[in-house]
Amino acid sequence: RDLWGAVKVTVPFQLGVLSKSWPPSAGQFASQHAAVIAAVAQQLVANQSSFDCNIYPYFALADVQNLQFALGNVSNTVDGVVYSCLLDQQAAAMRAALLKLSPSYTDETLPICIGETGWPTSGSPTSDPEATSANAAVFVQNCAAKSKYSMFFFEALDEQRKASTGANGTASLTENHFGWLTEAGHKKYTVPALDGSAAPEALDVPEQPAGSCEEDFTG
């Protein structure tokens, strides 16, 4: 009871709840999700909580076709608004969708928090060339240093069997490699904004094969 009002509860949504995200000002929730999101948003405002959404610019590369913007190395201007990185542009579409639910859902009354974001460090050599530790280092550094949003980076450790289980509805090998550390706990890249290192860069740590750190506890 002493924590009442201090601990906030929220519900994370993925960017896929939007039916439209371009241009950002035209952001709109899909009709099948709008009623639920409206009910959740009302409760969040009443309890002074944030609206959490999981945004992964990496997965938008096929549509955006701009690696440097996705990484946050360059900005983009849309309808006179400058976005420092793709993540902020995508979050702006979410804000536009919230404002369509209610013009009262502003940054002050219902702040947006990025519940998950990250960049894979490996994947398929043929279909995931941008999934590298060097790109992950730059992405996390730029988000931490430039984005106006509070966020949680996904994730601490790799999950080497995630793709084989079809997690998130996909068997993409990138799903195994979102960790800042390998399963064995080896740091894969540096992030000056978070660890005080001199520059964002990949470290010479080999990616581990699936299940390499598992133990058999059945016996």
Side-chain angles (χ1 to χ4, degrees):
R1 200 172 279 188
D2 292 338
L3 295 177
W4 185 259
V7 176
K8 303 299 182 182
V9 177
T10 188
V11 177
F13 293 96
Q14 62 171 326
L15 196 65
V17 297
L18 296 178
S19 60
K20 189 173 184 179
S21 60
W22 180 260
S25 60
Q28 183 172 324
F29 292 119
S31 58
Q32 66 267 33
H33 303 309
V36 171
I37 295 172
V40 171
Q42 187 175 21
Q43 288 299 313
L44 294 175
V45 170
N47 290 280
Q48 299 180 325
S49 296
S50 60
F51 185 91
D52 284 28
C53 52
N54 301 340
I55 300 178
Y56 288 86
Y58 174 81
F59 293 120
L61 277 176
D63 296 322
V64 176
Q65 295 291 309
N66 190 334
L67 175 62
Q68 296 308 311
F69 181 46
L71 291 174
N73 283 331
V74 299
S75 60
N76 188 42
T77 301
V78 183
D79 297 332
V81 180
V82 179
Y83 299 101
S84 64
C85 55
L86 177 56
L87 183 144
D88 278 15
Q89 182 174 291
Q90 292 173 300
M94 190 70 77
R95 171 61 64 196
L98 286 170
L99 289 171
K100 286 182 175 63
L101 291 181
S102 171
S104 67
Y105 293 162
T106 63
D107 290 343
E108 291 73 28
T109 61
L110 186 57
I112 287 177
C113 175
I114 309 302
E116 284 184 18
T117 193
W119 195 280
T121 57
S122 185
S124 167
T126 56
S127 59
D128 306 308
E130 293 88 3
T132 67
S133 292
N135 282 343
V138 171
F139 173 76
V140 175
Q141 167 64 19
N142 284 336
C143 284
K146 297 180 180 181
S147 177
K148 71 175 188 177
Y149 298 96
S150 298
M151 66 186 69
F152 294 88
F153 289 109
F154 183 86
E155 60 186 326
L157 297 166
D158 282 345
E159 299 178 81
Q160 290 300 332
R161 299 194 66 172
K162 191 173 182 182
S164 65
T165 63
N168 294 340
T170 175
S172 170
L173 292 178
T174 58
E175 292 291 337
N176 295 348
H177 303 282
F178 273 86
W180 193 4
L181 312 174
T182 67
E183 283 188 335
H186 300 301
K187 191 174 179 180
K188 295 192 286 183
Y189 54 89
T190 60
V191 182
L194 302 180
D195 61 18
S197 54
E201 60 182 358
L203 300 176
D204 188 17
V205 177
E207 297 288 350
Q208 295 172 261
S212 58
C213 288
E214 293 183 355
E215 298 288 346
D216 183 1
F217 295 104
T218 59

